Amino acid sequence: MTTLGASIFSTDISTAFHPEMTSLFWNQRRNPILKRLAVSTEQLASTATTVTSKTTPKRNFVEKESSEAAAFSTATAVKSKTTSTGTTYLSEESEGNRKSLKDYFDEAKDMIKADGAPPRWFSPLECGSHSPDSPLLLFLPGLVQLIERTIRSEHNHSPNKPIYLVGESLGACFALAVAARNPHIDLVLVLSNPGDPLKMAIDNVVKGISVPPTIQDLSTYLSVLADILPNETLLWKLELLKSASAGKDQMMPSEEEGQRLSRELPNCQTRSSAHVWQEEGVDLVTIIKGAGYYRRGKCINYVSDFIPLTTTEFNKFCEEIRLRSDLTSPVMLSTLEDGKIVADLSGIPSEGPVLYVGYHNLLGLEAFPMVQQFMIQRNVLVRCVAHPMFFESKDGGLPDFEGNDTLRIVGGVPASAVNLYKLLSSKSHVMLHPGGMREALHRKGEEYKLFWPESSEFVRMSSTFGAKIIPFGAVGEDDIAQIVLDYNDQMRIPFLKSQIEEMNKRVVKLRTDITGEVANQPVHLPLPIPKIPGRFYYYFGKPIETKGRKQELRDRKKSQKLYLQVKGEVENCIAYLKEKRQNDPYRNILPRLIYQATHGFRAQVPTFEL
């Protein structure tokens, strides 16, 4: 098992992230990420490498696998015979075979000559169409020189875009040096060290150990390295690798160095994995997105910078919440235009903007199953509006917690009026909980009690874009867990009290301009104990139209009336579910397990009669 460490940090805006590396550049079976090929502004060979892409149609709510290419324009540093100025982007899509590590070496052997020419940047992978505002990503292999001139040229060409540097092994050291020498350039560094299959293959050859079948193909290309690299350089690299072991590279011990960088660099995060970053199923772009460091401009725009989920990301998301979904077997009810209640989501509009307004269960347990079911049943991605502390790192946010990555990957957005405006203006489907953290972190005996502000916060904005407002209720937290230590209990325990007070000094505050119970939102973690799992129930009421009511709802009294109507509908939805679930023969997990044992464990378990 190899543990990897890496770091990402921005020398311009002091944003940093430290993940383990994932497969962005080559993979023998899966390499869907790159769609934009960048050739350096300084050096362009007279003949370009032809790269192809092969994609498979996917569900509408997820991006095609190859669409993550739009995330970055990418390049790898090599030597070139000829030079020119200006950046050239080569894009081509066809139904050819995907490139592999073999193609990387084959093309590198033809292209790389030790002729003293400046470096050329290239990507050996398939490429296709790209987003015109994609930031540049440069991959720095273990041996690379003269990066700085390329960085400055690209910065001059696109001064408002960040440049991502992915440095592996010695490339990580080069990346750090370039960043230190160019603090005025907006750089995001991804530092990986070591543990890639090529290193392991070389290491095994040096030690005289047989190469495992999974990486035997890599050994074939060692002779290519001998042709590409000067003899003294190759021997030096082999000796360096010989003295290293997985996770303990003497140049930069992965875990230890990663933790040190996390402490030293502002807003730095760490990620680690037992998998090497070139392995299938490990995706660098997914990790960057999850850590909240993918952006196309100076600052993150959580709406325009969002990249829809790939099929792989969606499947992983389903796996992460599978236990929760299996234990709670969610029931989804919606309301048709004629008022009829149906046991599915057919009453949900296909087109946005739509604002789903409801009650926040304990710890937000209802959110992810709802997102999953909307994707599966309606091909609709619901963007969750969540507390900003889930999107901040270190100062102003929660401690470094990888569980927050899922929220970012599935499209979570920090709660703010500006972000809500952007979401509705882009015709998104948005999940909003006016009670926010006060409901999600409620006290004992406060299950299903709404803590909403006195005045409307979303009605007039919805009418501005003609958004449909759908009130909904979600019930089930009291069948899943019971709070034994709430905020009041913890504040009577000195140790826990001091921890809560210290945390609340750091996290970003919301609703500081209002009073009342909804403003009483100290960050803490209620201590629940699990129950024998019951069931989650969702009921989405009839959509409320705001289209054509913009002028009407500018009137505060009328917008307040609609606000109270929505609140009342949410309470009605909750009351309906609490009553009807008493007649559900499968409310308890045991009858559900018996049913699934008979009908198959993927079978939809019935519920109460409507």
Side-chain angles (χ1 to χ4, degrees):
M1 179 177 293
T2 303
T3 301
L4 300 180
S7 295
I8 296 183
F9 68 94
S10 167
T11 59
D12 188 22
I13 61 171
S14 297
T15 351
F17 156 60
H18 185 96
E20 97 280 3
M21 300 315 304
T22 57
S23 178
L24 177 60
F25 303 101
W26 58 74
N27 189 304
Q28 289 185 317
R29 280 177 260 177
R30 176 184 179 274
N31 235 322
I33 301 172
L34 308 180
K35 290 179 70 177
R36 185 176 179 185
L37 176 63
V39 179
S40 169
T41 59
E42 348 252 299
Q43 300 84 21
L44 178 63
S46 57
T47 58
T49 302
T50 301
V51 196
T52 61
S53 175
K54 182 176 181 180
T55 59
T56 307
K58 301 296 188 303
R59 300 177 65 91
N60 293 334
F61 63 81
V62 294
E63 194 80 349
K64 289 183 179 179
E65 286 292 353
S66 61
S67 68
E68 287 200 27
F72 297 105
S73 91
T74 64
T76 302
V78 298
K79 287 287 184 181
S80 170
K81 285 185 176 181
T82 60
T83 65
S84 69
T85 59
T87 299
T88 302
Y89 296 102
L90 306 178
S91 298
E92 184 173 325
E93 273 193 49
S94 66
E95 293 297 318
N97 294 324
R98 290 173 177 166
K99 295 281 184 167
S100 67
L101 187 58
K102 178 180 184 301
D103 299 298
Y104 177 88
F105 277 100
D106 289 344
E107 293 169 7
K109 183 176 181 180
D110 294 335
M111 296 168 62
I112 302 175
K113 303 296 181 182
D115 57 2
R120 174 187 175 192
W121 297 84
F122 82 106
S123 171
L125 303 179
E126 65 269 19
C127 299
S129 60
H130 61 81
S131 174
D133 57 352
S134 300
L136 176 70
L137 183 150
L138 300 178
F139 172 60
L140 313 180
L143 296 172
V144 63
Q145 300 178 28
L146 307 177
I147 307 161
E148 193 171 54
R149 187 169 57 178
T150 299
I151 295 297
R152 291 176 177 175
S153 174
E154 295 294 342
H155 174 68
N156 291 335
H157 178 70
S158 301
N160 295 322
K161 293 182 184 179
I163 297 176
Y164 288 71
L165 299 183
V166 181
E168 185 272 331
S169 188
L170 289 179
C173 300
F174 283 107
L176 285 168
V178 170
R181 288 167 55 88
N182 296 273
H184 63 290
I185 297 179
D186 187 3
L187 297 176
V188 182
L189 305 190
V190 185
L191 310 181
S192 174
N193 195 46
D196 59 274
L198 178 59
K199 175 216 175 281
M200 291 188 291
I202 297 175
D203 199 13
N204 285 332
V205 170
V206 172
K207 294 179 179 179
I209 301 174
S210 61
V211 181
T214 56
I215 57 175
Q216 279 182 351
D217 290 342
L218 298 177
S219 309
T220 307
Y221 308 114
L222 294 181
S223 61
V224 179
L225 287 181
D227 294 337
I228 294 174
L229 301 177
N231 290 337
E232 60 274 15
T233 302
L234 181 60
L235 289 173
W236 172 76
K237 182 65 174 177
L238 290 174
E239 288 298 323
L240 176 63
L241 294 176
K242 182 179 178 180
S243 64
S245 60
K248 296 182 179 179
D249 191 322
Q250 293 185 358
M251 286 294 296
M252 185 186 295
S254 299
E255 286 192 90
E256 294 81 357
E257 181 66 9
Q259 293 300 325
R260 186 188 71 81
L261 290 173
S262 180
R263 293 189 299 268
E264 295 292 332
L265 301 174
N267 300 323
C268 184
Q269 299 185 40
T270 62
R271 298 293 184 270
S272 61
S273 171
H275 300 283
V276 296
W277 69 284
Q278 288 89 354
E279 284 187 8
E280 183 176 8
V282 186
D283 195 316
L284 176 60
V285 174
T286 299
I287 293 178
I288 292 176
K289 288 162 55 178
Y293 286 96
Y294 180 75
R295 55 188 170 87
R296 295 183 175 98
K298 292 285 186 182
C299 301
I300 297 176
N301 185 320
Y302 287 94
V303 178
S304 63
D305 285 342
F306 175 68
I307 302 175
L309 279 74
T310 64
T311 302
T312 300
E313 289 171 338
F314 175 67
N315 290 338
K316 184 178 179 181
F317 167 64
C318 291
E319 284 299 319
E320 289 178 356
I321 68 169
R322 181 179 298 278
L323 179 61
R324 188 189 315 181
S325 297
D326 289 346
L327 290 178
T328 60
S329 188
V331 174
M332 297 282 167
L333 309 178
S334 63
T335 309
L336 303 179
E337 290 292 335
D338 60 4
K340 180 182 178 181
I341 301 175
V342 292
D344 54 37
L345 295 176
S346 57
I348 298 300
S350 299
E351 302 296 329
V354 182
L355 187 64
Y356 304 91
V357 183
Y359 165 76
H360 218 357
N361 277 238
L362 178 67
L363 302 176
L365 292 174
E366 85 289 353
F368 281 171
M370 174 176 163
V371 171
Q372 179 192 37
Q373 290 302 313
F374 268 66
M375 288 179 169
I376 293 173
Q377 294 191 35
R378 297 293 291 164
N379 283 348
V380 167
L381 176 61
V382 178
R383 307 291 299 274
C384 301
V385 176
H387 197 286
M389 68 181 178
F390 293 106
F391 302 87
E392 301 287 339
S393 59
K394 292 188 177 178
D395 297 336
L398 294 174
D400 189 8
F401 177 51
E402 294 185 34
N404 296 335
D405 292 11
T406 302
L407 176 62
R408 301 184 186 107
I409 290 170
V410 299
V413 177
S416 73
V418 172
N419 284 335
L420 183 58
Y421 183 95
K422 291 178 180 178
L423 287 168
L424 295 179
S425 65
S426 64
K427 301 185 182 300
S428 300
H429 289 245
V430 185
M431 185 196 309
L432 180 68
H433 302 95
M437 192 164 57
R438 181 60 182 85
E439 290 176 356
L441 305 181
H442 62 69
R443 322 303 190 237
K444 296 176 183 175
E446 293 180 345
E447 296 86 359
Y448 310 121
K449 181 178 180 180
L450 301 187
F451 292 95
W452 288 22
E454 292 296 327
S455 59
S456 63
E457 294 182 327
F458 57 83
V459 171
R460 280 181 288 178
M461 190 177 295
S462 297
S463 67
T464 299
F465 301 102
K468 292 181 176 69
I469 299 175
I470 298 184
F472 76 94
V475 168
E477 64 168 81
D478 55 338
D479 276 353
I480 306 299
Q482 177 181 352
I483 299 177
V484 293
L485 275 180
D486 63 10
Y487 173 74
N488 297 328
D489 296 326
Q490 294 181 36
M491 290 301 286
R492 289 192 285 267
I493 302 175
F495 171 71
L496 295 178
K497 179 182 178 181
S498 62
Q499 281 194 328
I500 292 173
E501 290 175 344
E502 184 62 30
M503 179 181 296
N504 281 274
K505 290 178 182 178
R506 294 188 291 105
V507 298
V508 60
K509 304 294 191 301
L510 287 182
R511 290 171 168 164
T512 57
D513 57 339
I514 64 175
T515 58
E517 193 61 28
V518 71
N520 182 23
Q521 296 189 353
V523 180
H524 68 289
L525 185 64
L527 179 61
I529 56 173
K531 294 182 177 180
I532 296 176
R535 199 170 193 182
F536 262 113
Y537 303 85
Y538 299 77
Y539 173 30
F540 297 90
K542 186 176 180 179
I544 300 173
E545 288 282 0
T546 66
K547 188 175 182 180
R549 303 178 64 183
K550 181 177 180 180
Q551 295 299 324
E552 172 193 351
L553 294 176
R554 282 185 176 179
D555 182 277
R556 287 188 178 274
K557 290 184 178 179
K558 292 182 178 180
S559 65
Q560 184 69 11
K561 181 179 178 180
L562 181 56
Y563 177 74
L564 294 177
Q565 177 189 344
V566 174
K567 183 178 180 181
E569 289 293 332
V570 172
E571 292 173 331
N572 291 339
C573 290
I574 293 173
Y576 175 86
L577 292 174
K578 290 174 68 176
E579 178 183 354
K580 296 292 287 186
R581 69 175 176 173
Q582 297 179 20
N583 300 320
D584 183 1
Y586 300 102
R587 179 178 175 181
N588 189 276
I589 191 173
L590 296 180
R592 294 201 300 272
L593 290 176
I594 295 173
Y595 180 90
Q596 290 177 322
T598 304
H599 296 80
F601 284 96
R602 294 295 101 196
Q604 178 63 40
V605 180
T607 185
F608 51 78
E609 292 186 5
L610 299 177

